[in-house]
Amino acid sequence: MNRFKSFGVAAAVIVGLVGCQANKPVVFDPTTDESRNIFGKRNVYFDNNSAAIRDDAKKIISAHVSYMQNNSAVMLTLQGSADSIKPNPKDLKLATARATAVRDAMVKAGVEAKRIDVKAIVDTEAAKPGKDPAKGRNAAFIYR
C-alpha cells in the first residue's frame, strides 16, 4: 500500500470503465495481492498487426485512469510502438493507432484528452533474431 500512497492513489476500490461491457465495470482493489502492483505496469501489449485493447490491458489502463483522476496536474505521453526490421509508414501508423486506442479508452473513462499526448515509434530491437517481437507491440505510459 505504501507504493500507492507515494503515487497518490487512494487505497480504495477502483472502478475502471475501460472496455467494460454494459453494467459490468472492471473492478479491483489495489490492496489485494492480485492488483497490488498494477499501477507499476507501464506498458500494455497488443497482438500482431492489431491496435485492439486486449483483456489483460484493461486493469492496467484502469489503474492509470484512477491515478490521473486523483492527480489533476499530471500529464501523460502514450508512446505507441510497433516491431519492425526497419521503420516504415505502415508501422508508424500502427504504433500511433495503439497509443490512440489507449488514449481513447482513458478519455472514455473520464480523463481529459488535453492531458494525454500520443507519440509513435518503431522498435527495431524487438524485431532482431533472438529477441521477443511481442515486447515491441505496446503502448507505454510516460508521465510528465
Side-chain angles (χ1 to χ4, degrees):
M1 188 145 110
N2 289 338
R3 175 176 290 145
F4 290 98
K5 283 183 181 177
S6 67
F7 287 108
V9 176
V13 174
I14 298 171
V15 177
L17 300 175
V18 178
C20 299
Q21 296 175 354
N23 300 321
K24 293 185 179 183
V26 177
V27 179
F28 67 97
D29 181 345
T31 62
T32 65
D33 288 339
E34 178 185 347
S35 61
R36 180 169 289 147
N37 295 317
I38 198 83
F39 179 74
K41 294 183 180 179
R42 300 299 173 124
N43 291 292
V44 291
Y45 295 95
F46 294 85
D47 293 329
N48 192 32
N49 292 321
S50 174
I53 294 174
R54 299 183 340 188
D55 287 341
D56 63 340
K58 290 176 184 174
K59 282 187 179 181
I60 297 168
I61 294 169
S62 291
H64 288 276
V65 165
S66 179
Y67 173 73
M68 291 194 70
Q69 288 174 332
N70 288 307
N71 296 279
S72 61
V74 171
M75 304 297 275
L76 174 67
T77 296
L78 288 167
Q79 180 175 286
S81 181
D83 59 309
S84 183
I85 300 296
K86 61 182 180 178
N88 65 62
K90 178 185 165 210
D91 290 326
L92 283 173
K93 185 176 178 181
L94 178 58
T96 301
R98 288 173 173 164
T100 300
V102 175
R103 183 199 59 206
D104 291 350
M106 293 180 79
V107 169
K108 184 177 179 182
V111 177
E112 293 176 284
K114 68 182 182 182
R115 296 176 58 204
I116 306 171
D117 290 330
V118 171
K119 176 178 163 179
I121 65 168
V122 175
D123 187 348
T124 56
E125 274 301 304
K128 289 184 177 178
K131 301 285 183 171
D132 182 1
K135 297 290 183 193
R137 301 177 196 135
N138 68 71
F141 295 84
I142 304 167
Y143 287 98
R144 46 190 172 77

